[in-house]
Amino acid sequence: ALEQGRKARSLQGVVIALTVILALLLSALALHQRRTTLRMRSLAMTDELTGVPNRRAVLARLEPLLAQSDKSPCALLIIDIDHFKQINDRHGHPEGDEALKLVAAKLRLAVAAPSFIGRLGGEEFVAVLPDTSLQRAGEIAESVRAQVMTIDTRRWLAERRITVSVGVTASVSAGDSSSTMLRRADAALYEAKRGGRNCVRFMPPPQAAASAEE
């Protein structure tokens, strides 16, 4: 009976040890799966070339801010690299990619948290500026434009500097959306392009424009 008791206790110890090992393995597997999921989610929301948030990520963060726009304004900049096609055509796509990376790095320096930047696609970037008036957004846009012009391109783009055109708008007190904000900023960007590029142009929200006309 004593021998059988010892065997039972020994078997019980083995079962407990195996249970602990299995629990540890399952925990490690769950942690690995969670990390993989977070990594995949991050990749889905990040621009692969520049490492900044992509269009999907920007819009996902912009919408909640606009839902609070009755409390404080939110400004938006669309930043477009001037004559980007010429860089690709004359120097090749690798140099064009390098230009995109350098511009993204400068935007990170010029736009401080809680504001954030992202890449809309192609040569267009966006900056979202919470709690920022149209006037202050214009000042930041000018800072962005100046920062980009400091990029050293002598080794591969000797004939000129990289410049950007910037369209600026701000949210209305209610009823604004990411699409209406982007349309206004894009219209302002178009005016900057028509104005000779390497400049900043504004498209005020409808209420502000109506007040200015009165």
Side-chain angles (χ1 to χ4, degrees), residues 6-71:
R6 281 195 296 270
K7 288 181 179 179
R9 286 192 295 273
S10 177
L11 181 60
Q12 186 180 32
V14 171
V15 171
I16 292 172
L18 290 175
T19 302
V20 170
I21 292 172
L22 180 60
L24 290 174
L25 287 174
L26 290 175
S27 297
L29 181 61
L31 180 60
H32 175 73
Q33 184 65 31
R34 175 175 171 77
R35 287 176 176 171
T36 300
T37 300
L38 291 175
R39 185 161 53 247
M40 293 300 292
R41 186 179 301 170
S42 176
L43 289 173
M45 304 293 274
T46 303
D47 178 60
E48 184 177 358
L49 177 65
T50 62
V52 302
N54 59 20
R55 183 187 183 96
R56 180 189 304 172
V58 169
L59 297 183
R61 294 178 64 181
L62 176 59
E63 287 293 351
L65 292 173
L66 295 179
Q68 304 172 4
S69 63
D70 57 329
K71 300 177 182 178

Side-chain angles (χ1 to χ4, degrees), residues 51-196:
V52 302
N54 59 20
R55 183 187 183 96
R56 180 189 304 172
V58 169
L59 297 183
R61 294 178 64 181
L62 176 59
E63 287 293 351
L65 292 173
L66 295 179
Q68 304 172 4
S69 63
D70 57 329
K71 300 177 182 178
S72 57
C74 177
L76 186 141
L77 318 179
I78 293 183
I79 303 120
D80 185 277
I81 301 176
D82 295 326
H83 303 295
F84 182 73
K85 187 176 183 300
Q86 292 181 12
I87 297 176
N88 280 333
D89 291 346
R90 294 181 183 179
H91 304 279
H93 288 280
E95 298 299 348
D97 290 347
E98 182 67 14
L100 290 168
K101 293 176 185 177
L102 291 171
V103 169
K106 287 296 183 181
L107 294 182
R108 285 194 186 100
L109 293 176
V111 179
S115 301
F116 57 93
I117 66 167
R119 185 182 175 196
L120 289 180
E123 67 272 27
E124 283 192 347
F125 293 85
V126 62
V128 177
L129 316 174
D131 302 324
T132 305
S133 66
L134 189 66
Q135 180 180 355
R136 175 59 183 152
E139 295 170 359
I140 294 173
E142 285 291 352
S143 175
V144 164
R145 189 184 65 81
Q147 282 275 6
V148 170
M149 289 186 68
T150 66
I151 294 173
D152 186 358
T153 60
R154 286 173 295 181
R155 66 180 177 83
W156 55 277
L157 197 64
E159 74 273 14
R160 66 178 181 86
R161 292 186 179 276
I162 296 176
T163 63
V164 293
S165 300
V166 188
V168 184
T169 193
S171 61
V172 297
S173 59
D176 226 337
S177 66
S178 57
S179 60
T180 57
M181 289 277 286
L182 287 170
R183 279 199 297 270
R184 289 202 303 273
D186 195 59
L189 175 63
Y190 179 73
E191 291 301 319
K193 294 291 187 181
R194 289 184 60 189

